[in-house]
Amino acid sequence: MRISQLSAASGVPIPTIKYYLREGLLQPGEQTAATRAEYGEAHLRRLRLIRALLEVGRVPVTAIRQIIAAVEDETMPVHEMLGTAHYALATPVEAAADDDRHREALALVDALIGELGWQVTPEAPTRAELAQVLVRLDRLGRPASVEKLRPYAEHVARFAREREMDSVSGPREAAVESLVVGTVLYGKVLDVLRRIAHESESARRHTSGHPAAPAG
Amino acid sequence: MRISQLSAASGVPIPTIKYYLREGLLQPGEQTAATRAEYGEAHLRRLRLIRALLEVGRVPVTAIRQIIAAVEDETMPVHEMLGTAHYALATPVEAAADDDRHREALALVDALIGELGWQVTPEAPTRAELAQVLVRLDRLGRPASVEKLRPYAEHVARFAREREMDSVSGPREAAVESLVVGTVLYGKVLDVLRRIAHESESARRHTSGHPAAPAG
């Protein structure tokens, strides 16, 4: 298809497509004449991936370039390829003003991961991200512990194993796109559903003489 | 205790305590002399609550005033009191540019809640919040459905019922504080743990000849 058709099919404006081509994010089309190039399904898939990374993951262009290099490098194992995208989605941790507390929290995260037997690299940015939340809990006088965190960890692990990871499959490009959408948007879905469930559970516990809504 | 001791015990600076007194967020101390007031445990509990709402929930002062009025109104049922705090924590939904899509997504949220038999008020702001995420999924060519969302909903509901809601208890003030910290900070804990679990599960599935880390 021509660039105008690629734009129509993907919903990405032509100037934006040209920008992705210049930046090397989108592979060039097949040159069929001096001013004409032909694009195909691979380009559509790539545009979906770029859009997911930019709009959903808010991943900066330099990191997107690294992720795409990983997708294109067929010798890179799938797990490692997914890792480049996964790590790019982590929220950077602000410089810790309270270093001792942050170190203690990191040690707690490491202890939890070790006790659960999870396979997580030492440099995973999610370790520091979790530690930061634990520091905030500690400052509010609600220190966490391995015992307190374990049910939360087991709860998410079970769901990841039984449900979520099955959707990250298919060709390399599609797997990364699924990972980004699943991590960010289904993360939000879970967060909002959790808060809705809390309202419902609170209603069930605290109101009486108020029959539960009938199951539809 | 004197205001200086209240400041030391709570970690809140004296000028901030005076600001909360002027704003009516903190109840006045017992006047023991023309320029001296006595504060107690109730003031410490109130300061914990204000701090949780401001720092953790990022709730604006006007909404905090409403929440505190609900806490102080002993005739208001617990569920309704918790609701004022709960709704103040929702992220406001941006004006929907795409109204038809938003309406469809809202109908899907209502169908899901109805089918699960959850007790959620029609005006719960979390309905619109979830609808907004569903619109984004739809725009990415990944429309959600009741069937697709149901396992996510059942998963969070089970955990809310079995684990989470037990921590929201105690005196009215402490229950609201627990709700805020539990909703926001344990929401983040779950989100980061989920991403860590994904890395571990991906390692388990995609790497071979690589023994799992021993359970500690």
Side-chain angles (χ1 to χ4, degrees), chain A residues 48 51-52 55-58 78-79 82 86-87 89-91 109 112-121 124 126-127 129-130 133-134 136-137 139-144 148-149 151-153 155-168 174 177-179 181-207 210-216, chain B residues 48 51-52 55-58 78-79 82 86-87 89-91 109 112-121 124 126-127 129-130 133-134 136-137 139-144 148-149 151-153 155-168 174 177-179 181-207 210-216:
Chain A
R48 273 180 76 114
R51 225 179 128 195
E55 292 176 21
V56 178
R58 296 174 193 277
V78 172
H79 173 61
L82 293 175
H86 203 218
Y87 288 180
L89 296 174
T91 315
V109 171
L112 178 72
I113 290 174
E115 195 155 326
L116 292 162
W118 285 4
Q119 296 180 51
V120 182
T121 66
T126 39
R127 289 177 189 260
E129 224 183 323
L130 181 55
V133 187
L134 302 185
R136 292 187 68 191
L137 282 167
R139 287 213 187 102
L140 289 165
R142 298 174 169 269
K148 199 158 179 195
L149 294 172
Y152 288 87
H155 161 77
V156 294
R158 194 173 334 116
F159 195 61
R161 206 161 43 232
E162 292 170 7
R163 281 275 173 180
E164 294 199 290
M165 294 303 290
D166 290 335
S167 62
V168 177
E177 191 215 328
S178 293
L179 173 92
V181 173
T183 299
V184 180
L185 290 187
Y186 275 91
K188 282 204 212 303
V189 165
L190 279 168
D191 183 61
V192 186
L193 279 175
R194 171 175 174 259
R195 286 184 278 128
I196 299 178
H198 286 179
E199 175 178 343
S200 175
E201 182 63 14
S202 167
R204 214 179 56 77
R205 295 192 178 201
H206 294 289
T207 61
H210 196 83
Chain B
R48 274 180 76 114
R51 225 180 128 196
E55 292 176 21
V56 178
R58 294 174 195 277
V78 172
H79 173 59
L82 293 176
H86 203 218
Y87 288 0
L89 296 174
T91 315
V109 171
L112 178 71
I113 290 174
E115 195 156 323
L116 293 162
W118 285 5
Q119 295 180 51
V120 182
T121 67
T126 37
R127 288 178 189 260
E129 224 183 323
L130 181 55
V133 186
L134 301 185
R136 292 188 68 192
L137 282 166
R139 286 214 187 101
L140 288 164
R142 299 174 169 269
K148 197 157 181 198
L149 294 172
Y152 288 87
H155 161 76
V156 293
R158 195 174 331 117
F159 195 60
R161 209 163 40 233
E162 292 170 7
R163 280 272 173 184
E164 294 199 289
M165 295 301 290
D166 291 336
S167 62
V168 177
E177 192 216 324
S178 293
L179 174 91
V181 172
T183 299
V184 180
L185 290 187
Y186 275 91
K188 283 206 215 296
V189 165
L190 279 169
D191 183 61
V192 185
L193 279 176
R194 172 176 174 260
R195 287 184 277 127
I196 298 178
H198 286 178
E199 175 177 343
S200 175
E201 182 63 15
S202 167
R204 213 180 55 79
R205 294 193 179 201
H206 293 290
T207 60
H210 195 81

Side-chain angles (χ1 to χ4, degrees), chain A:
Chain A
M1 66 190 117
R2 310 270 294 277
I3 195 167
S4 56
Q5 296 167 306
L6 180 64
S7 169
S10 63
V12 178
I14 294 178
T16 309
I17 293 179
K18 288 187 172 164
Y19 166 72
Y20 295 159
L21 286 165
R22 277 197 309 276
E23 288 290 320
L25 302 182
L26 181 66
Q27 64 274 47
E30 197 193 336
Q31 209 70 29
T32 54
T35 60
R36 190 174 291 185
E38 194 56 26
Y39 299 90
E41 286 303 314
H43 296 87
L44 268 175
R45 270 204 302 277
R46 175 63 58 84
L47 285 175
R48 273 180 76 114
L49 172 60
I50 295 171
R51 225 179 128 195
L53 287 166
L54 276 176
E55 292 176 21
V56 178
R58 296 174 193 277
V59 174
V61 168
T62 46
I64 293 183
R65 204 175 282 124
Q66 285 170 19
I67 294 167
I68 284 175
V71 167
E72 289 181 341
D73 176 5
E74 300 274 349
T75 66
M76 185 187 282
V78 172
H79 173 61
E80 206 178 311
M81 171 192 78
L82 293 175
T84 61
H86 203 218
Y87 288 180
L89 296 174
T91 315
V93 167
E94 326 151 359
D98 197 345
D99 272 307
D100 278 349
R101 251 173 168 157
H102 190 73
R103 253 191 301 275
E104 273 173 37
L106 265 179
L108 175 54
V109 171
D110 293 347
L112 178 72
I113 290 174
E115 195 155 326
L116 292 162
W118 285 4
Q119 296 180 51
V120 182
T121 66
E123 58 273 9
T126 39
R127 289 177 189 260
E129 224 183 323
L130 181 55
Q132 194 175 38
V133 187
L134 302 185
V135 168
R136 292 187 68 191
L137 282 167
D138 197 39
R139 287 213 187 102
L140 289 165
R142 298 174 169 269
S145 63
V146 169
E147 290 66 44
K148 199 158 179 195
L149 294 172
R150 192 208 300 270
Y152 288 87
E154 287 172 347
H155 161 77
V156 294
R158 194 173 334 116
F159 195 61
R161 206 161 43 232
E162 292 170 7
R163 281 275 173 180
E164 294 199 290
M165 294 303 290
D166 290 335
S167 62
V168 177
S169 58
R172 295 170 72 89
E173 212 126 15
V176 174
E177 191 215 328
S178 293
L179 173 92
V180 174
V181 173
T183 299
V184 180
L185 290 187
Y186 275 91
K188 282 204 212 303
V189 165
L190 279 168
D191 183 61
V192 186
L193 279 175
R194 171 175 174 259
R195 286 184 278 128
I196 299 178
H198 286 179
E199 175 178 343
S200 175
E201 182 63 14
S202 167
R204 214 179 56 77
R205 295 192 178 201
H206 294 289
T207 61
S208 53
H210 196 83

Side-chain angles (χ1 to χ4, degrees), chain B residues 3-46:
Chain B
I3 196 168
S4 57
Q5 296 165 306
L6 181 64
S7 169
S10 62
V12 179
I14 294 179
T16 309
I17 293 179
K18 289 187 170 163
Y19 167 72
Y20 294 159
L21 286 165
R22 278 198 308 278
E23 289 289 321
L25 302 182
L26 182 66
Q27 63 274 46
E30 198 193 334
Q31 209 71 29
T32 55
T35 59
R36 191 174 293 184
E38 195 56 28
Y39 300 90
E41 285 303 315
H43 296 89
L44 268 175
R45 270 202 303 277
R46 176 64 56 83

